[in-house]
Amino acid sequence: MRSHSAVRMLAGLAIGATLGIAAHVTLGDAPALETAVRIVEPVGTIFLRLLFMLVVPLVLSALALGVAGLGDMRRLGRIGLRTLAYTVAVSTCAVLIGVGLVNAIRPGDGIPPALRARLAERAHTAPVATPPKAAMGADFFVNLVPANPVRAMADGDMLAVMTFALFLGVGLVLTQTEPARRLEEGLQGLYDVTMRLLALVIRMAPLGIACLVFSLTARLGFDVMRQLGAYVVVVLLGLAIQQFGVYSATVYWLGGMSPRAFFRGVREAMLTAFSTASSNATLPTALRVAEQELHLPPHVSRFVLTIGSTANQNGTALFEGVTVLFLAQFYGVELDVGQQLTIVVVCILGGIGTAGVPGGSLPVIAMILGMIGVPVEGIGMILGLDRFLDMCRTTLNVTGDLAAAVVVARGER
């Protein structure tokens, strides 16, 4: 079923791009071109709005449940704290690698300024409030704490919503009462329903992708495909640096294990992750690999890998950062240091709260684009290739979970 969905999404990208380029070549700047775009574009816009509709319930439930899942920290305090510290540190490295590569290579540049201005002017902005320039220094940390979480949800202040979700998760860990468990079950129900709705939205993705890509290629011609190729190269380069650079270093220096022995031991889990594009689906294989191939203590590997399948999504965090900055460059939206810092923080938290299933990062990306004022129509370019990139970043996510287990297990044997 997932492979069929991936083929349909890729077909949507190909059909939309082919028809759009054909329209660009045959119609040029004729009024008929804009008429065709105005007919097709609303379908893509509806698809994007459906994604936005699911952002708040997904982030609130997933992030709170991710923290609440660390409830075993009361029993495995040292292991839990080391897992959390390692996850935040390595996720930060992943996002910084992605942001650094996009700023250095700038895959989104190259569109003629006049055409880019016209494209951005015609784009329908996302239905999420765009905040002013990001605060710096003490103001940045003050703004993380919402005075009214409901207002933060309404205003689209997702950093504040994430902070509230984190505190809610901490409260669930500390409150050992039956009503608190019912609240946790309610959040799990909200998460399950949201994921089901997301699956339904993704089913209409091929049509939405075709319409979004048609609108872009009809206006830009073949240039948009060249930019898309550069974007894919940057994503794969960032994933490779994290996989073979950062993980090798952490396994060797912090875990006391040879990187060659580590990668030889986790090959089966990596192949399973690549084929399923799901950290959750790979969890049984990862658990067996950790105990039989890496010879890690079961109580450590089971705790770290179970939490990591949802809360240690390094590849997803890197992918989200690269995608957002690429689309900002594509539309000519200049981001200052404060805004890029905001993106880094949201991507790190998004790596904790993103669902470990195919397509789970799409609502988070759409939400970040709305936060920084980038037209979300550009996400149509990404969606057509998302299955392949999802397979690659899921491989990184699962490898990162196993690397975390190696690091945390050192001294616990």
Side-chain angles (χ1 to χ4, degrees):
M1 176 65 88
R2 286 171 182 164
S3 61
H4 293 163
S5 177
V7 170
R8 289 196 296 268
M9 292 173 70
L10 187 59
L13 173 67
I15 293 171
T18 302
L19 294 178
I21 292 173
H24 180 82
V25 171
T26 57
L27 298 178
D29 293 329
L33 179 66
E34 277 305 311
T35 301
V37 170
R38 282 197 297 269
I39 293 173
V40 171
E41 207 167 28
V43 178
T45 303
I46 291 173
F47 171 68
L48 292 174
R49 284 177 174 265
L50 288 172
L51 283 178
F52 271 100
M53 181 178 67
L54 301 175
V55 166
V56 170
L58 177 62
V59 170
L60 180 64
S61 58
L63 198 53
L65 289 171
V67 176
L70 296 173
D72 282 342
M73 287 175 60
R74 300 170 66 90
R75 180 168 54 89
L76 300 172
R78 182 174 63 255
I79 296 176
L81 290 175
R82 290 174 66 182
T83 301
L84 181 61
Y86 176 87
T87 296
V88 172
V90 178
S91 294
T92 302
C93 289
V95 179
L96 291 178
I97 288 172
V99 170
L101 287 174
V102 176
N103 281 305
I105 300 175
R106 301 194 66 83
D109 287 347
I111 302 297
L115 184 57
R116 175 184 281 134
R118 194 164 74 249
L119 182 67
E121 181 182 353
R122 290 168 177 167
H124 298 285
T125 55
V128 174
T130 303
K133 295 291 184 180
M136 293 293 290
D139 290 339
F140 175 80
F141 295 99
V142 170
N143 292 338
L144 288 177
V145 182
N148 185 335
V150 176
R151 181 181 294 276
M153 296 176 193
D155 293 342
D157 188 356
M158 294 309 299
L159 271 180
V161 173
M162 287 179 163
T163 302
F164 172 70
L166 288 173
F167 269 83
L168 183 59
V170 171
L172 289 172
V173 171
L174 299 178
T175 308
Q176 300 298 317
T177 64
E178 188 62 29
R181 301 288 69 78
R182 289 198 294 270
L183 174 59
E184 188 171 349
E185 291 176 359
L187 287 173
Q188 183 64 53
L190 176 62
Y191 174 81
D192 293 341
V193 170
T194 303
M195 290 306 303
R196 178 60 178 166
L197 292 175
L198 178 61
L200 294 177
V201 173
I202 294 300
R203 291 182 64 178
M204 68 167 290
L207 178 60
I209 291 169
C211 294
L212 292 169
V213 173
F214 173 84
S215 301
L216 285 171
T217 53
R219 289 167 175 158
L220 298 178
F222 192 74
D223 288 340
V224 67
M225 305 308 293
R226 184 169 59 248
Q227 306 295 337
L228 186 59
Y231 157 77
V232 172
V233 169
V234 171
V235 172
L236 296 180
L237 179 59
L239 295 177
I241 293 174
Q242 180 77 4
Q243 176 90 325
F244 301 108
V246 175
Y247 288 164
S248 295
T250 57
V251 165
Y252 181 76
W253 292 107
L254 301 178
M257 180 180 292
S258 164
R260 178 177 298 179
F262 170 76
F263 284 108
R264 184 170 58 246
V266 304
R267 285 178 300 181
E268 183 181 356
M270 291 172 61
L271 289 173
T272 304
F274 185 79
S275 61
T276 63
S278 171
S279 300
N280 293 339
T282 311
L283 181 58
T285 304
L287 288 169
R288 181 166 54 79
V289 163
E291 296 180 21
Q292 297 180 6
E293 301 293 335
L294 301 180
H295 307 292
L296 302 179
H299 72 284
V300 174
S301 61
R302 291 171 188 173
F303 176 81
V304 174
L305 294 176
T306 301
I307 296 300
S309 64
T310 298
N312 187 31
Q313 306 282 326
N314 301 160
T316 299
L318 185 152
F319 168 76
E320 290 169 356
V322 171
T323 300
V324 170
L325 287 177
F326 163 72
L327 291 176
Q329 291 174 0
F330 183 84
Y331 282 100
V333 178
E334 294 297 329
L335 303 176
D336 59 27
V337 175
Q339 289 172 311
Q340 294 199 30
L341 175 62
T342 299
I343 293 172
V344 169
V345 173
V346 173
C347 289
I348 293 171
L349 294 176
I352 296 174
T354 298
V357 297
S361 63
L362 298 181
V364 178
I365 293 173
M367 173 264 292
I368 300 174
L369 293 176
M371 286 177 59
I372 61 176
V374 175
V376 294
E377 280 71 21
I379 202 173
M381 295 188 296
I382 310 306
L383 291 178
L385 294 172
D386 182 66
R387 174 65 182 187
F388 170 70
L389 296 178
D390 200 357
M391 295 163 72
C392 295
R393 64 181 183 263
T394 300
T395 304
L396 182 70
N397 291 338
V398 172
T399 307
D401 295 341
L402 289 163
V406 170
V407 171
V408 174
R410 188 178 187 182
E412 297 289 338
R413 299 180 187 276

